[in-house]
Amino acid sequence: MRKYVIMGVQGSGKGTQAGRLATDLDLVNVSVGDTLRWHVQHHTKIGAQVRRTMAAGALVDDDLVESLARERLAMHHWNYGFILDGFPRNVRQARFFLESYDIDGVINLELPDEVVHERVLARRLCSGCGLDWNLLAHRPKVPDVCDICGSPLLVREDDTPDALAARLRDYHAKTAPVLELFERKEFVATFDATQPVEVIQAEIRDRFALPPPAS
Ligand code: AMP
């Protein structure tokens, strides 16, 4: 089965690339961030516990995230491949992950911090249908209104300059060492995430010997 971890700073296009691979190759996109956001939106106990941490752009407690990842992966049907997005994010999580799961490789999307700022601060989320918009690349016809469902577009609570600076600091301090650990044990392929989405997607398929995207 095809099993991958996708890594990269916020705004590097992890969700987009993972989504395309998942749709075309029948893989399941497992995102710890989405699971946590679901808890916040549905006002669960976990949501109440993590909301402020997430809004500040900080990492949520390791025990909690590891138990969510463990539960989610235990539910997974092993006849299907998956792409794990947003986990592991520090060395402790990576050790836990490497002890318990085998993967085919790590997709690492690299993006300079200046570009992260530009992209992330332009990001908008539809409050109705949840579609992602971007004022640079995927702009709605009417400002701040979703073309698809007509609901207002919002800035994600953790897409503010302060929260972004915190996330970038965390990424460099905590997540980059995860890559070093993976590089010793797994196949890690690094891609230049400043390139167009289609080019990156084709490069990922090429490096992992996956069927090329249908044109
Ligand atoms: P993401 O959508 O992957 O950017 O995740 C959004 C937020 O969820 C992060 O800023 C963290 O607060 C939290 N989060 C997601 N994954 C993890 C993780 N592996 N460890 C700790 N916190 C996480």
Side-chain angles (χ1 to χ4, degrees):
M1 274 315 112
R2 294 163 173 158
K3 297 187 217 108
Y4 307 103
V5 166
I6 189 161
M7 295 186 59
V9 277
Q10 289 70 28
S12 59
K14 280 182 306 205
T16 307
Q17 297 297 342
R20 290 193 183 198
L21 291 169
T23 308
D24 277 12
L25 305 170
D26 203 15
L27 308 177
V28 183
N29 191 352
V30 177
S31 159
V32 174
D34 281 352
T35 307
L36 290 168
R37 272 187 290 278
W38 183 91
H39 280 282
V40 172
Q41 274 156 10
H42 292 85
H43 302 291
T44 67
K45 288 181 190 156
I46 289 179
Q49 222 177 310
V50 301
R51 184 179 173 165
R52 286 177 61 186
T53 311
M54 287 181 73
L59 289 185
V60 167
D61 175 67
D62 286 332
D63 285 331
L64 173 62
V65 171
E66 283 174 12
S67 84
L68 288 178
R70 189 188 296 115
E71 268 172 35
R72 179 61 189 84
L73 291 172
M75 268 190 248
H76 185 74
H77 189 314
W78 288 95
N79 284 350
Y80 289 88
F82 65 75
I83 308 180
L84 186 56
D85 170 355
F87 187 90
R89 249 174 154 113
N90 60 26
V91 168
R92 177 183 145 168
Q93 294 176 11
R95 292 216 174 98
F96 156 83
F97 182 74
L98 285 165
E99 273 166 23
S100 318
Y101 307 97
D102 269 334
I103 50 166
D104 297 288
V106 178
I107 301 166
N108 177 36
L109 302 177
E110 225 168 39
L111 195 68
D113 286 3
E114 320 76 87
V115 187
V116 175
H117 273 98
E118 270 170 35
R119 284 193 189 176
V120 171
L121 299 180
R123 224 155 46 169
R124 296 291 181 275
L125 179 72
C126 174
S127 57
C129 65
L131 197 70
D132 283 320
W133 293 88
N134 190 295
L135 304 185
L136 298 172
H138 184 214
R139 193 191 278 268
K141 290 196 193 92
V142 179
D144 296 325
V145 177
C146 178
D147 287 359
I148 309 299
C149 75
S151 302
L153 302 186
L154 304 175
V155 176
R156 233 172 76 169
E157 209 172 355
D158 56 353
D159 280 350
T160 61
D162 283 352
L164 177 58
R167 280 188 290 161
L168 277 174
R169 266 198 310 277
D170 249 357
Y171 188 82
H172 293 302
K174 297 182 184 159
T175 312
V178 172
L179 268 181
E180 287 166 29
L181 193 65
F182 271 142
E183 268 160 1
R184 277 186 257 139
K185 312 218 168 188
E186 306 284 350
F187 173 58
V188 178
T190 296
F191 304 91
D192 171 4
T194 62
Q195 303 179 96
V197 170
E198 297 71 30
V199 174
I200 303 168
Q201 180 71 195
E203 285 187 3
I204 295 174
R205 308 259 188 137
D206 189 47
R207 291 287 289 282
F208 286 93
L210 295 167
S215 47

